Amino acid sequence: NRLLDILTLERECFKNPYSLQTLKREMELPHGINLIAETERGELAGYLMAWCLGETCELHRIATAPKLRKKGVAETLLKALLKESQKRGAKEVLLEVDSRNEAALNLYKKLGFKTVGERKNYYGPNTKALILKLTL
């Protein structure tokens, strides 16, 4: 069962990790898109969680195992999300990212995401989230 592997990675990657119950609920949503990436040996390399409602797909979570970062895992997951979003009829993909997360920002910009807004103090005092959008 991948759920426990995802929970472990969630705890490694996020300051406020989802609980097991939240992860389970996310995976059962009919409008959810849940993707995983594995190594050749079958280990969890990363995962992605998004909602696709109507013409908008919203990325909620993306994580890569720390030892596998900078190897294209997140990019592969994002490209798969874009394909699945189009299949489901979405016209755009939205996400929020910490303005200080340069690695993530570079990847999103490389894939064509544009900044469309910001949320001040989103990740704490003096830390803003950028809202990015990609039109499909």
Side-chain angles (χ1 to χ4, degrees):
N1 185 332
R2 277 286 176 219
L3 199 53
L4 295 178
D5 294 337
I6 291 170
L7 180 64
T8 300
L9 190 53
E10 178 79 10
R11 289 175 175 163
E12 281 179 47
C13 295
F14 297 105
K15 282 186 193 125
N16 298 306
Y18 285 175
S19 67
L20 184 62
Q21 293 79 8
T22 299
L23 289 170
K24 200 180 284 187
R25 193 175 61 237
E26 282 292 316
M27 292 183 168
E28 293 169 353
L29 292 170
H31 55 269
I33 298 175
N34 301 291
L35 305 171
I36 63 166
E38 296 180 331
T39 66
E40 289 174 7
R41 292 191 303 264
E43 298 168 315
L44 182 66
Y47 66 93
L48 172 154
M49 296 180 161
W51 289 4
C52 206
L53 294 161
E55 295 188 344
T56 301
C57 182
E58 201 172 305
L59 176 65
H60 290 186
R61 279 289 207 247
I62 185 166
T64 300
K67 67 182 181 185
L68 298 171
R69 292 195 178 139
K70 299 191 187 323
K71 296 188 186 321
V73 174
E75 184 172 354
T76 299
L77 285 166
L78 283 165
K79 286 179 176 176
L81 173 65
L82 300 181
K83 275 189 191 146
E84 182 59 28
S85 298
Q86 283 181 306
K87 240 192 265 181
R88 294 189 187 199
K91 302 277 189 258
E92 64 184 12
V93 178
L94 294 173
L95 62 88
E96 291 168 352
V97 61
D98 189 324
S99 62
R100 300 165 301 178
N101 188 340
E102 281 187 45
L105 283 167
N106 289 337
L107 173 59
Y108 297 138
K109 297 230 155 85
K110 175 182 172 184
L111 293 176
F113 283 85
K114 306 270 186 266
T115 303
V116 294
E118 63 181 52
R119 297 181 197 275
K120 293 187 186 328
N121 303 316
Y122 189 77
Y123 293 105
N126 305 314
T127 59
K128 65 183 174 189
L130 298 178
I131 302 165
L132 304 186
K133 176 177 149 180
L134 176 68
T135 303
L136 299 170

